[in-house]
């Protein structure tokens, strides 16, 4: 790994950041699969540590939260419960949140979709925001209200959205869909504070989740592209959000989310990511 030049590392990371899989990246760059995975692990770990350190003192006024499904090793129904090799296999949810104004992704959490993970996610998010009040919108997952009350207390105007989709009753056909059926009803529910009704929305975080699914091969639906190890999955997500926040210019704000939010004062290149990873090694 230490023999790779900065140019080689940049080339590998550019491929991964454009949604290419590890095998495809190996073919394009001429590097071995193990070399690419080692680089991803080193960079992913550094990206997670760096973003954890700099995503502090944020002045977000609004936050949208959601969860995105993926799996490691095999889907949950195929996990062999008594097989040690399948200990980390199964469904994995990535909790995400976004500031709709700056498009910044302050933090995320990879885990299972349960009350404990929801609380951990909110406990990570809350201290990063120094605004006196913040409006939070989530989906209707029942673990959110308790977690938000516990972490934000009286400083949050919180509402959630329940969406109802049309169902034709054909389970087999539903499994073949690339996207949900048409939404037939959307209900807003205020939980605490006085949220502005025109900003009760999860559309921005859902769009960022689509960006993650399209830009990270491990999330591609209806293919055999998935993470074989949970550790690699976590590293890939950390690297993805580093590129999203600091490297790629967001189309709607014409700069990077990190620059818009004041987290950094310059446009990062992929070489900056490599050098940051070296510094944090």
């Amino acid at each position: 790994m230490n023999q790779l030049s900065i140019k080689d590392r940049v080339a590998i990371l550019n491929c991964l950041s454009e949604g290419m899989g590890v095998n495809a990246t190996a073919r394009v760059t001429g590097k071995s699969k193990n070399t690419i995975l080692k680089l991803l692990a080193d960079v992913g770990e550094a990206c997670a540590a760096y973003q954890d350190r700099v995503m502090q003192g944020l002045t977000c006024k609004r936050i949208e939260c959601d969860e995105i499904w993926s799996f490691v090793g095999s889907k949950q129904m195929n996990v062999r419960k008594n097989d040690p090799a399948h200990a980390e296999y199964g469904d994995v949810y990535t909790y995400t949140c976004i500031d709709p104004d700056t498009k910044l992704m302050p933090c995320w959490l990879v885990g299972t979709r349960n009350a404990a993970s929801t609380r951990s996610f909110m406990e990570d998010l809350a201290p990063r925001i120094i605004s006196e009040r913040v409006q939070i919108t989530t989906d209707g997952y029942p673990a959110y209200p308790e977690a938000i009350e516990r972490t934000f207390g009286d400083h949050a105007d919180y509402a959630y959205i329940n969406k109802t989709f049309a169902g034709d009753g054909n389970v087999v056909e539903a499994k073949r869909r690339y996207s949900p059926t048409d939404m037939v009803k959307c209900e807003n529910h205020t939980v605490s504070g006085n949220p502005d009704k025109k900003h009760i929305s999860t559309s921005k975080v859902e769009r960022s989740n689509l960006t993650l699914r399209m830009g990270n091969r491990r999330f591609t639906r209806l293919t055999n592209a998935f993470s074989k190890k949970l550790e690699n999955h976590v590293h890939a997500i950390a690297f993805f959000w580093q590129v999203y926040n600091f490297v790629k210019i967001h189309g709607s704000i014409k700069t990077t989310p990190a620059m818009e939010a004041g987290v950094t004062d310059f446009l990062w290149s992929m070489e900056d990511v490599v050098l940051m990873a070296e510094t944090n090694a």
Side-chain angles (χ1 to χ4, degrees):
M1 186 68 261
N2 294 330
Q3 296 177 354
L4 276 183
S5 67
I6 291 178
K7 181 179 178 180
D8 287 336
R9 280 175 278 176
V10 168
I12 291 170
L13 295 179
N14 276 331
C15 289
L16 294 175
S17 70
E18 293 301 325
M20 294 180 64
V22 172
N23 290 330
T25 300
R27 290 191 293 270
V28 169
T29 62
K31 307 303 178 184
S32 72
K33 179 178 176 180
N34 288 339
T35 296
I36 293 169
L37 288 174
K38 178 63 167 60
L39 174 63
L40 179 60
D42 291 343
V43 172
E45 187 174 338
C47 289
Y50 179 80
Q51 290 177 92
D52 182 52
R53 185 169 67 252
V54 302
M55 296 293 182
Q56 304 290 341
L58 304 176
T59 57
C60 308
K61 301 299 183 183
R62 294 185 288 142
I63 290 289
E64 298 178 12
C65 303
D66 199 13
E67 320 86 49
I68 179 170
W69 171 85
S70 57
F71 66 93
V72 171
S74 70
K75 293 182 179 178
Q76 195 64 43
M77 62 181 178
N78 297 323
V79 174
R80 298 193 294 270
K81 295 182 179 180
N82 297 323
D83 187 346
H86 282 214
E88 294 184 341
Y89 281 17
D91 293 349
V92 174
Y93 282 85
T94 303
Y95 285 76
T96 60
C97 59
I98 194 172
D99 176 353
D101 298 316
T102 65
K103 314 305 179 189
L104 186 74
M105 183 68 59
C107 66
W108 64 93
L109 182 142
V110 179
T112 53
R113 194 170 188 250
N114 56 27
S117 292
T118 308
R119 282 196 302 271
S120 296
F121 179 55
M122 287 300 162
E123 288 169 355
D124 186 24
L125 172 63
R128 301 181 187 277
I129 300 175
I130 61 173
S131 303
E132 185 175 348
R133 294 197 70 80
V134 58
Q135 177 164 330
I136 302 174
T137 308
T138 71
D139 59 19
Y141 185 53
Y144 277 117
E146 188 273 337
I148 291 174
E149 181 182 7
R150 177 193 292 258
T151 53
F152 284 89
D154 297 329
H155 300 286
D157 299 309
Y158 170 48
Y160 67 86
I161 294 179
N162 264 341
K163 296 180 180 179
T164 303
F165 296 90
D168 56 14
N170 188 336
V171 177
V172 174
E173 184 63 29
K175 289 182 178 180
R176 296 173 180 168
R177 295 184 183 275
Y178 281 89
S179 59
T181 55
D182 293 336
M183 184 174 63
V184 296
K185 184 167 62 174
C186 180
E187 297 176 320
N188 300 338
H189 300 271
T190 297
V191 178
S192 61
N194 186 31
D196 187 342
K197 292 185 178 180
K198 70 179 180 181
H199 292 311
I200 299 177
S201 171
T202 55
S203 60
K204 297 296 191 299
V205 70
E206 289 171 359
R207 180 61 183 83
S208 72
N209 285 349
L210 176 61
T211 301
L212 173 60
R213 197 171 288 286
M214 294 174 64
N216 190 315
R217 186 64 174 164
R218 298 164 189 269
F219 284 81
T220 307
R221 288 188 181 275
L222 300 183
T223 71
N224 62 350
F226 57 90
S227 294
K228 312 303 188 293
K229 294 182 179 179
L230 180 60
E231 184 180 19
N232 292 340
H233 193 73
V234 172
H235 292 150
I237 293 172
F239 169 64
F240 178 89
W241 291 125
Q242 180 81 26
V243 174
Y244 169 86
N245 281 323
F246 291 88
V247 179
K248 291 188 176 180
I249 294 178
H250 198 285
S252 64
I253 58 176
K254 310 306 179 186
T255 185
T256 63
M259 292 183 68
E260 185 73 7
V263 177
T264 186
D265 58 1
F266 68 96
L267 175 64
W268 284 48
S269 67
M270 197 63 75
E271 184 173 335
D272 292 320
V273 176
V274 171
L275 296 175
M276 179 275 296
E278 278 191 349
T279 303
N280 285 269

